[in-house]
């Protein structure tokens, strides 16, 4: 077998689990015959040669940046060649996050000193308000997934209203694709710039969009009660996030004014093809990671709980990361910790005609970095589960 042929075979395969090989354009099939030997050789080749896609990670010193590094440690095609962190410039990633000390990573540099000549794609994990100017200045050949909120809202006037500053890259906003992967997969495929969804909007839109599209629930009187681990507030030192402020209590915040509200309503309104306004209240929980959204809805005339359940089953049947649980099973944040999964279920309310939907994700993975990797996989033509088959950490 020639080197070219061998490399081509390696390029077109993703190793999912023992005994299986997946072609970039095929469904998973059982491995047979000598394929296991070939898989081992391809994996060895991947380890001995530079990875095919050179990744730049902007804002590597935050939690989402660290999660990108953790997830890419087992990605067969994505290799990090550039990392920025202005306040940590000159340091190693291992000194910033000791749990990543075993990884062979480039030294952190400031954004102004970043060299993109050896980068093919970028994960941007910078705070909102700073990302627009930076992405505007990046080379046009780069594929970009932005984890900030800077390109999520299509209406730049709405962005200014909720984020308190004018949008500085309106032309780029027109180009950006909202990356709720399971709902907008086809749009993501052809995108150059993807706006990665927020954590709350991901946990809320995944169960609601299919039901709204199928006209199974009323658009009015949607009540959303969401709870998040403290890591969702970021790594910066804030008084409100001190242990003594968070432990042994629940904190409701952003009441009626949380910045994810317009993002949620934008997605639900798109599904309904009419304006939807929701009642959304987030809560900070005394836990590190995890997110649960409990959603109260009114069913359309003549619709039953079984109709809602079957619609969600139909929509997500065969999906890798969105799972409808068996009837009666309550989703728990413990069951998605450290993974890219979203678990959901639907229950009858005691009030006739109403239903309760519960959805859980890991806010740092499916709610941020995991979905970002999933999106970039799609943008570059790789199976979207590549590097993301980490199972939840339990107990």
């Amino acid at each position: 077998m020639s080197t070219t042929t061998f490399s081509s075979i390696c390029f077109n395969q993703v190793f999912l689990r023992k005994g299986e090989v997946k072609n970039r354009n095929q469904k998973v099939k059982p491995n047979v015959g000598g394929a296991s030997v070939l898989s081992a050789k391809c994996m060895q080749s991947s380890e001995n040669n530079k990875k095919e896609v050179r990744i730049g990670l902007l804002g590597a010193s935050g939690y989402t940046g660290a999660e990108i590094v953790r997830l890419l440690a087992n990605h067969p095609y994505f290799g990090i060649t550039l990392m920025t962190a202005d306040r940590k410039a000159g340091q190693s990633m291992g000194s910033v996050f000791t749990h990543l000390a075993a990884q062979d990573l480039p030294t952190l540099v400031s954004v102004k000193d970043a060299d993109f000549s050896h980068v093919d794609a970028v994960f941007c994990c910078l705070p909102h308000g700073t990302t627009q100017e930076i992405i505007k200045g990046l080379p046009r050949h780069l594929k970009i997934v932005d984890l900030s909120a800077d390109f999520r809202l299509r209406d730049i006037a709405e962005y200014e209203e909720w984020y308190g500053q004018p949008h500085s890259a309106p032309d780029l906003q027109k180009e950006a694709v909202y990356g709720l992967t399971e709902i907008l997969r086809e749009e993501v495929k052809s995108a150059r710039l993807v706006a990665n969804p927020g954590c709350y909007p991901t946990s809320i839109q995944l169960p609601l969009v299919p039901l709204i599209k199928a006209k199974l629930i009323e658009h009015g009187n949607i009540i959303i009660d969401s709870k998040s681990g403290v890591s969702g507030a970021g790594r910066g030192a804030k008084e409100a996030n001190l242990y003594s402020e968070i432990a042994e209590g629940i904190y409701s915040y952003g009441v009626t004014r949380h910045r994810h509200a317009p993002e949620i309503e934008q997605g639900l309104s798109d599904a309904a093809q009419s304006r939807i306004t929701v009642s959304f209240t987030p809560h900070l929980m005394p836990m590190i990671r995890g997110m649960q959204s409990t959603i109260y809805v009114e069913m359309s005339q003549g619709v039953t709980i079984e109709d809602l359940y079957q619609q969600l089953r139909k929509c997500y049947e065969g999906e890798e990361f969105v799972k409808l649980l068996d009837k009666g099973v309550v989703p728990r944040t413990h069951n998605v910790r450290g993974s890219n999964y979203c678990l959901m279920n639907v229950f009858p309310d005691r009030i006739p005609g109403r239903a309760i939907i519960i959805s859980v994700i890991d806010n740092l993975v499916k709610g941020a970095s995991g979905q970002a990797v999933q999106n970039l996989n799609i943008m570059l033509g790789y199976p979207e589960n590549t590097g993301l088959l980490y199972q939840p950490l339990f107990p």
Side-chain angles (χ1 to χ4, degrees):
M1 183 182 296
S2 70
T3 303
T4 302
T5 305
F6 181 72
S7 299
S8 177
I9 292 173
C10 290
F11 181 83
N12 283 309
Q13 290 177 334
V14 174
F15 306 97
L16 301 175
R17 56 184 72 88
K18 187 175 181 181
E20 293 180 339
V21 175
K22 184 171 182 179
N23 186 278
R24 293 174 73 187
N25 300 310
Q26 294 176 348
K27 292 184 177 180
V28 176
K29 294 182 179 179
N31 198 359
V32 294
S36 60
V37 177
L38 180 59
S39 298
K41 289 182 178 179
C42 284
M43 293 178 77
Q44 184 178 7
S45 174
S46 176
E47 291 170 0
N48 293 339
N49 296 288
K50 289 183 178 180
K51 295 183 178 180
E52 294 157 358
V53 180
R54 300 165 298 179
I55 299 294
L57 177 56
L58 310 186
S61 61
Y63 289 142
T64 57
E67 279 294 276
I68 292 285
V69 174
R70 182 179 73 88
L71 295 172
L72 295 192
N74 287 325
H75 199 294
Y77 305 123
F78 295 174
I80 299 174
T81 58
L82 170 68
M83 303 176 76
T84 77
D86 285 359
R87 289 178 296 173
K88 306 289 185 180
Q91 298 184 37
S92 68
M93 191 63 170
S95 68
V96 177
F97 287 104
T98 308
H99 73 291
L100 297 172
Q103 300 299 309
D104 184 15
L105 297 164
T107 300
L108 297 167
V109 299
S110 64
V111 172
K112 65 180 178 59
D113 296 326
D115 179 4
F116 292 94
S117 61
H118 299 290
V119 174
D120 304 305
V122 167
F123 290 109
C124 193
C125 303
L126 297 166
H128 72 265
T130 64
T131 303
Q132 292 158 5
E133 286 292 342
I134 289 172
I135 290 182
K136 190 163 61 173
L138 293 180
R140 290 287 302 177
H141 75 275
L142 296 174
K143 294 280 190 177
I144 303 166
V145 179
D146 177 31
L147 282 75
S148 81
D150 276 9
F151 293 98
R152 294 175 189 163
L153 300 180
R154 291 192 301 270
D155 186 341
I156 59 174
E158 192 169 39
Y159 174 87
E160 182 173 357
E161 175 189 347
W162 286 86
Y163 287 89
Q165 60 190 68
H167 200 293
S168 61
D171 290 338
L172 269 182
Q173 181 60 64
K174 296 173 185 176
E175 179 186 351
V177 168
Y178 187 68
L180 189 62
T181 317
E182 285 77 12
I183 303 299
L184 296 165
R185 185 176 280 117
E186 291 304 311
E187 290 82 351
V188 170
K189 281 182 181 178
S190 58
R192 186 187 76 89
L193 168 61
V194 164
N196 212 59
C199 46
Y200 287 124
T202 295
S203 69
I204 293 162
Q205 292 180 89
L206 285 174
L208 285 186
V209 166
L211 302 181
I212 290 173
K213 284 185 174 179
K215 298 179 170 54
L216 295 179
I217 59 175
E218 298 293 336
H219 299 167
N221 201 22
I222 297 174
I223 301 169
I224 305 165
D225 180 306
S226 294
K227 298 174 175 66
S228 175
V230 183
S231 58
R235 203 185 189 201
K238 303 169 188 173
E239 181 180 298
N241 296 343
L242 293 173
Y243 177 82
S244 56
E245 302 284 336
I246 295 296
E248 303 178 21
I250 302 172
Y251 171 49
S252 302
Y253 69 105
V255 180
T256 74
R257 290 299 301 172
H258 193 281
R259 289 165 168 171
H260 283 178
E263 182 183 343
I264 295 164
E265 292 172 352
Q266 174 181 267
L268 300 186
S269 299
D270 287 349
Q273 298 184 324
S274 63
R275 179 67 182 171
I276 288 183
T277 302
V278 300
S279 178
F280 167 60
T281 305
H283 310 269
L284 206 57
M285 302 296 290
M287 60 185 188
I288 296 170
R289 60 165 82 206
M291 175 168 288
Q292 174 174 311
S293 287
T294 305
I295 308 166
Y296 305 89
V297 299
E298 181 181 350
M299 293 181 284
S300 299
Q301 187 70 32
V303 171
T304 66
I305 290 291
E306 181 66 15
D307 295 329
L308 302 190
Y309 186 89
Q310 291 303 325
Q311 179 61 25
L312 291 174
R313 183 194 62 77
K314 176 183 175 183
C315 181
Y316 292 119
E317 191 172 32
E319 285 289 348
E320 184 80 56
F321 297 117
V322 181
K323 300 296 181 184
L324 178 66
L325 299 181
D326 292 340
K327 293 176 182 178
V329 178
V330 179
R332 299 178 60 200
T333 57
H334 274 101
N335 299 139
V336 294
R337 183 178 172 88
S339 78
N340 197 50
Y341 294 102
C342 172
L343 305 183
M344 64 178 68
N345 217 337
V346 58
F347 304 88
D349 199 334
R350 292 180 61 245
I351 301 174
R354 294 190 64 85
I356 301 169
I357 302 163
I358 299 176
S359 165
V360 297
I361 61 173
D362 185 315
N363 57 292
L364 291 178
V365 189
K366 187 59 173 172
S369 304
Q371 187 161 214
V373 173
Q374 191 177 355
N375 280 324
L376 189 59
N377 281 337
I378 293 173
M379 294 164 73
L380 295 175
Y382 295 101
E384 64 190 66
N385 61 5
T386 310
L388 289 172
L389 291 175
Y390 291 89
Q391 293 305 292
L393 183 62
F394 181 87

